[in-house]
Amino acid sequence: MSIIYNEASKMFSLYAKDTLYALAVVDEGYLSHVYYGKTVPDSDLTYLLRLDEGPFYPSKNRRETASFMDCQPFEYPCYGTGDYRESCLMVMDKDGMSACDLRYVSHKIYKGKPKLEGMPATFAEENEAETLEIIMLDKHLGMEAVLVYTVFEELNAITRSVRITNKGSDPFKLTRVLSMCVDFETDKFDMITLNGSWARERALERARLHCGKQSVDSARGESSHQSNPFFALVSPNADEDMGEAYGFNFVYSGNFFAQAEVTQFERTRAVMGINPLDFAWLLESGETFTAPEVVMVYSANGIGDMSRTFHDLYRKHLIRGEYKNKRRPVLINNWEATYFDFDTDKLISIAKEASKLGIEMLVMDDGWFGHRSSDDSSLGDWFVNENKLKGGLKYLVDEVNKLGMKFGIWFEPEMISPDSDLYRAHPDWAIQIPGRVSTQSRAQFVLDYSRKEVRDHVYGMLRKILDNANIEYIKWDMNRQLTEVGSTVLPKDRQRELWHRYVLGVYDLQERLTTDYPHILLENCSGGGARFDPAMLYYSPQIWTSDDTDAVERLKIQYGTSICYPPSAMGAHVSDCPNHTVGRVTPFETRGYVAMVGTFGYELDVTRIPQEDRDAIPGQIEMFNKFNPLVRNGDQYRIGNVNEDNTWDAWMFVAKDKSEAMLTVVQVLARPNYKSRNVKLKGLDPKAMYRNEETGVVLSGEALMNCGMNFQFWGDFRGKIVHLVRV
Ligand code: DGJ
């Protein structure tokens, strides 16, 4: 059994593989956090709560409950009753009061994992997971909170979410509803976050926790380029292979808040959820609000092991659809090849050349609709620009299909250009504050996706395109963050709900799209990598990782992204040089090595690249085909870290049964007067013998991991892939 309730101690033990998460109902119905870490056999750990220590026991010390409130480790802390640390729940009731106070009422334990209404979440079969629901009540407000915990039997993963219902007769507003809180016994942690900017997303940062609050967030309406909805707390000695690591990832694509707070008692409170900034949600009597899911992963064996758990969880229990376990077609995207300057003939010429080289799909990017010839117009006018696509879309798609290639298309369905027929007909459909001049960003506004008629209309246009031609892939882009967040239809006491209602609208449309067109491969994208979050993985098995396609920058971006997301979900393309973002020139071969551990494709004008590069493409595709099963199903081990030492990087993918492995080594900058670099491998079976498929040399796993392999490169940005097979 994965979840056990001990009647005597009132402690719940949640076992997920080698993890134990324990909580207990204590004095006066408070719900306290007891322990999170490596499994221990004992069924009563409530001594950790120190309930017998002096002034803190509420029922025995009526005159001093404040001390208890401010130091007790709580499962779901409420605002305004003496716990001055970060709280998870805060209200505005009919009298303008903000305090709340939840106490235990009952619980239930059941097999499997429930769905989150209208929201993405991890899923599991009945025999793969067990769920605990704890029902709490604020008697004063008549507010019920159901804390939902699911443990995965075979993974060190636990998920959490919360449902709040107004069981009283008066309405109240929720002004903050976080999804997760863990009160750790210690403050001896480093915090890892994934931060950056456009074209340099998810750069790993690591810093020692110190007294006070350390947070990352997004208030941009999407998960953002700047910070990812992820953080980890790791023991100060933790590295890839040893030490404790707790990872938290929010299954959400809107405003988030994630924080670690070191308290006066040298403990750490970790919280995560929807960003409370500018958030409010009105709950009328009988209404329920569901907070999105947080995934918590524990590792006693370092950061690498934590990442591999996230990868396994997401590959098996989050990503859905026909492509879940399938190799993705090798695509060529025309964005960096042509930008807006293309027509049918140009696209067909690219497809002709690409098909000869073994590329399997042409993706037509931005610029095919309305009268769009720059990013100044036409978003929302999802009909074909016949001046560019002479003969129409079906003609183009058929021609591409005749070449034996699939066809994919770009949309930005959440947007509306002021210069569009859609805007001229429905200016009120844009998110705006009536009477206030809207901030300009890429000359476009965001559609009010809280409105069903808006979503229906956009979807109707998309359907016409999709039903008109044989489209087998969609790139769903999102290039503008939200400002002046107001809706022309929501009542004033629900305006602050728009941030979240907008995200729910996006989910609604992606759910409809993936249900109605299950054969279409969906790739999410947001100005590059601003929506690389687990919620998007629920709808699309791959996400465009970054607009930066430079091989060296990608080393850093893909390294950081792999901290919690599987490489097989990372959109990665070989592009032309000098690179369009950084101007760097790298060997075509190395660009291939880096893109190969993602979804793999090309983003260049294949009719114009050097012949030598063109000639290399069939070989690259062959290599991708050979290694892709390892990338999709194997375990990733990070070896080098280009963030720490920008002279080299290395990583491995090892088959689950350890029968084969691929190692990629990239020398970033050459070092003069330096012997060959020794790289120690990871994840192999120490007792097995492995043959290097290129050289024929056979070495034991033990030797490869302890003594390493030597690599000598001549020049910057050089790389190599080694294939090892167990003999
Ligand atoms: C941003 C995306 O990340 C790019 O790949 C490209 O699709 C452009 N948008 C098109 O506007």
Side-chain angles (χ1 to χ4, degrees):
M1 266 229 291
S2 300
I3 299 178
I4 294 168
Y5 177 57
N6 180 333
E7 211 45 80
S9 63
K10 294 201 171 67
M11 190 180 97
F12 298 91
S13 300
L14 283 61
Y15 296 99
K17 203 180 169 199
D18 314 312
T19 304
L20 170 60
Y21 187 98
L23 53 146
V25 181
V26 300
D27 202 25
E28 306 217 324
Y30 288 105
L31 190 64
S32 294
H33 176 73
V34 177
Y35 172 79
Y36 183 24
K38 207 174 171 158
T39 297
V40 294
D42 313 69
S43 60
D44 185 1
L45 299 173
T46 50
Y47 68 91
L48 291 168
L49 296 173
R50 304 170 171 88
L51 286 168
D52 52 349
E53 281 185 22
F56 302 126
Y57 199 157
S59 59
K60 295 221 170 111
N61 191 6
R62 256 299 131 228
R63 66 171 293 279
E64 181 52 59
T65 49
S67 307
F68 169 81
M69 293 307 294
D70 208 20
C71 80
Q72 181 69 187
F74 284 121
E75 270 304 301
Y76 197 69
C78 296
Y79 178 79
T81 52
D83 181 351
Y84 294 101
R85 295 159 291 181
E86 196 74 33
S87 54
C88 282
L89 192 64
M90 188 170 167
V91 298
M92 180 61 64
D93 71 15
K94 67 172 198 322
D95 302 319
M97 304 301 168
S98 55
C100 50
D101 182 4
L102 292 171
R103 308 290 178 96
Y104 171 86
V105 176
S106 62
H107 70 269
K108 54 181 180 184
I109 296 170
Y110 54 89
K111 293 255 169 242
K113 184 172 192 297
K115 278 193 160 192
L116 285 197
E117 209 37 55
M119 260 186 300
T122 54
F123 50 82
E125 300 291 332
E126 289 234 322
N127 60 347
E128 293 171 326
E130 202 164 30
T131 297
L132 165 69
E133 291 195 1
I134 298 189
I135 294 102
M136 314 275 291
L137 186 69
D138 178 315
K139 275 194 193 149
H140 182 77
L141 290 172
M143 174 172 63
E144 180 189 86
V146 181
L147 312 186
V148 186
Y149 301 78
T150 297
V151 294
F152 287 81
E153 302 262 354
E154 283 169 13
L155 291 165
N156 286 303
I158 298 174
T159 61
R160 290 181 64 170
S161 66
V162 181
R163 281 195 312 271
I164 311 282
T165 301
N166 184 350
K167 296 252 168 164
S169 46
D170 295 319
F172 55 81
K173 273 187 182 180
L174 301 169
T175 52
R176 75 159 51 210
V177 197
L178 302 190
S179 299
M180 182 278 303
C181 171
V182 181
D183 273 336
F184 289 96
E185 175 73 35
T186 177
D187 65 346
K188 301 290 174 291
F189 283 125
D190 285 359
M191 184 173 184
I192 292 177
T193 50
L194 305 174
N195 311 309
S197 183
W198 172 78
R200 50 180 164 81
E201 295 89 351
R202 290 171 298 285
L204 184 143
E205 290 195 40
R206 178 173 177 163
R208 181 64 48 88
L209 284 189
H210 54 82
C211 197
K213 299 176 174 185
Q214 291 115 87
S215 64
V216 285
D217 70 356
S218 165
R220 296 167 183 265
E222 61 172 352
S223 35
S224 93
H225 299 277
Q226 288 73 14
S227 290
N228 195 261
F230 167 85
F231 73 109
L233 296 178
V234 305
S235 52
N237 68 341
D239 62 15
E240 280 296 308
D241 310 306
M242 56 161 283
E244 287 193 296
Y246 299 85
F248 304 96
N249 203 188
F250 196 29
V251 188
Y252 192 59
S253 314
N255 291 347
F256 75 89
F257 174 67
Q259 181 175 276
E261 174 185 9
V262 173
T263 72
Q264 58 181 328
F265 301 115
E266 293 163 0
R267 295 181 196 158
T268 306
R269 170 167 289 181
V271 296
M272 185 175 244
I274 290 181
N275 195 338
L277 181 72
D278 204 21
F279 168 87
W281 195 278
L282 177 66
L283 278 187
E284 299 279 2
S285 176
E287 286 182 349
T288 296
F289 179 85
T290 304
E293 174 167 292
V294 169
V295 172
M296 313 195 299
V297 166
Y298 170 70
S299 162
N301 304 305
I303 299 161
D305 180 59
M306 176 195 78
S307 299
R308 287 186 288 279
T309 301
F310 274 114
H311 298 174
D312 285 344
L313 181 75
Y314 291 169
R315 289 187 297 194
K316 193 165 175 207
H317 298 282
L318 181 64
I319 291 173
R320 306 175 297 167
E322 288 184 10
Y323 279 96
K324 178 183 170 106
N325 299 314
K326 260 191 4 207
R327 187 189 74 100
R328 319 286 154 75
V330 177
L331 65 80
I332 184 157
N333 176 303
N334 74 308
W335 179 241
E336 288 195 21
T338 65
Y339 295 100
F340 293 102
D341 186 17
F342 64 87
D343 58 14
T344 303
D345 292 344
K346 179 70 208 168
L347 293 177
I348 291 178
S349 72
I350 292 178
K352 271 195 179 139
E353 192 59 42
S355 67
K356 284 190 229 153
L357 301 167
I359 297 173
E360 297 158 324
M361 179 160 73
L362 175 76
V363 175
M364 176 174 67
D365 210 280
D366 192 357
W368 57 266
F369 49 90
H371 62 278
R372 190 156 166 102
S373 52
S374 72
D375 52 14
D376 277 345
S377 81
S378 304
L379 295 167
D381 292 348
W382 301 112
F383 46 82
V384 173
N385 178 347
E386 301 234 1
N387 291 327
K388 277 185 171 181
L389 300 192
K390 296 201 178 57
L393 180 64
K394 181 159 168 39
Y395 169 74
L396 170 65
V397 177
D398 288 349
E399 289 303 300
V400 171
N401 286 168
K402 276 186 211 159
L403 295 166
M405 290 175 85
K406 296 178 192 292
F407 186 88
I409 197 167
W410 178 98
F411 288 108
E412 196 175 355
E414 297 156 67
M415 297 294 151
I416 181 166
S417 302
D419 178 8
S420 66
D421 293 352
L422 188 69
Y423 189 77
R424 283 181 281 274
H426 301 285
D428 61 308
W429 282 11
I431 285 180
Q432 60 192 277
I433 299 179
R436 187 178 284 283
V437 176
S438 294
T439 303
Q440 285 292 327
S441 176
R442 214 190 191 211
Q444 63 194 63
F445 297 134
V446 183
L447 282 166
D448 182 354
Y449 262 30
S450 71
R451 297 171 66 171
K452 184 164 183 308
E453 72 273 27
V454 174
R455 302 196 301 270
D456 288 349
H457 185 87
V458 172
Y459 191 47
M461 286 189 279
L462 261 52
R463 288 203 73 145
K464 271 200 187 133
I465 296 289
L466 299 176
D467 294 342
N468 164 261
N470 182 25
I471 289 166
E472 298 182 75
Y473 162 105
I474 292 173
K475 178 173 172 187
W476 178 306
D477 205 347
M478 196 280 193
N479 289 301
R480 192 213 197 269
Q481 298 167 344
L482 277 60
T483 58
E484 291 85 23
V485 175
S487 164
T488 56
V489 294
L490 282 174
K492 80 172 187 258
D493 55 0
R494 290 203 180 269
Q495 282 288 344
R496 297 343 302 141
E497 298 175 12
L498 183 54
W499 291 103
H500 182 56
R501 287 186 183 275
Y502 172 74
V503 178
L504 294 180
V506 174
Y507 295 154
D508 170 57
L509 220 48
Q510 295 215 354
E511 184 66 39
R512 283 200 242 172
L513 182 67
T514 48
T515 307
D516 294 343
Y517 299 91
H519 69 286
I520 291 184
L521 171 59
L522 180 64
E523 176 158 348
N524 267 291
C525 167
S526 175
R531 254 193 193 159
F532 213 116
D533 62 59
M536 287 289 103
L537 285 181
Y538 183 73
Y539 300 103
S540 64
Q542 59 195 58
I543 303 173
W544 184 229
T545 315
S546 176
D547 273 349
D548 197 335
T549 52
D550 171 67
V552 174
E553 295 305 311
R554 275 296 182 118
L555 293 177
K556 300 175 208 162
I557 296 168
Q558 294 180 191
Y559 180 101
T561 307
S562 77
I563 292 291
C564 60
Y565 304 107
S568 54
M570 294 182 203
H573 300 165
V574 174
S575 63
D576 203 3
C577 276
N579 178 267
H580 292 197
T581 308
V582 292
R584 188 176 285 129
V585 177
T586 53
F588 196 75
E589 184 185 56
T590 308
R591 282 174 260 159
Y593 292 159
V594 176
M596 207 165 282
V597 289
T599 57
F600 198 60
Y602 294 87
E603 182 139 351
L604 38 73
D605 186 347
V606 72
T607 66
R608 294 169 65 169
I609 56 171
Q611 186 60 40
E612 199 190 334
D613 293 354
R614 216 175 358 253
D615 291 345
I617 290 178
Q620 269 182 346
I621 294 175
E622 199 183 316
M623 211 181 221
F624 164 71
N625 289 338
K626 177 165 149 189
F627 291 122
N628 183 251
L630 271 176
V631 174
R632 275 189 294 112
N633 310 314
D635 288 326
Q636 186 205 25
Y637 291 85
R638 290 178 294 260
I639 299 176
N641 180 353
V642 73
N643 299 296
E644 274 171 13
D645 169 1
N646 71 11
T647 60
W648 73 292
D649 200 357
W651 58 84
M652 287 181 73
F653 287 88
V654 181
K656 288 273 177 202
D657 66 0
K658 313 264 184 212
S659 59
E660 62 169 332
M662 87 187 269
L663 162 72
T664 311
V665 183
V666 178
Q667 164 161 289
V668 180
L669 296 179
R671 299 186 76 191
N673 192 21
Y674 191 74
K675 290 270 184 210
S676 63
R677 178 173 299 283
N678 182 271
V679 175
K680 287 184 180 167
L681 277 59
K682 294 182 184 179
L684 299 172
D685 174 357
K687 300 278 169 262
M689 303 300 289
Y690 290 91
R691 185 181 55 246
N692 180 330
E693 289 295 273
E694 189 190 6
T695 62
V697 172
V698 175
L699 283 167
S700 66
E702 208 114 48
L704 290 162
M705 293 193 290
N706 291 301
C707 316
M709 288 176 74
N710 297 334
F711 291 88
Q712 202 159 27
F713 297 101
W714 176 247
D716 296 340
F717 319 130
R718 296 283 155 188
K720 187 158 189 60
I721 293 191
V722 176
H723 187 199
L724 295 164
V725 177
R726 186 167 59 198
V727 292

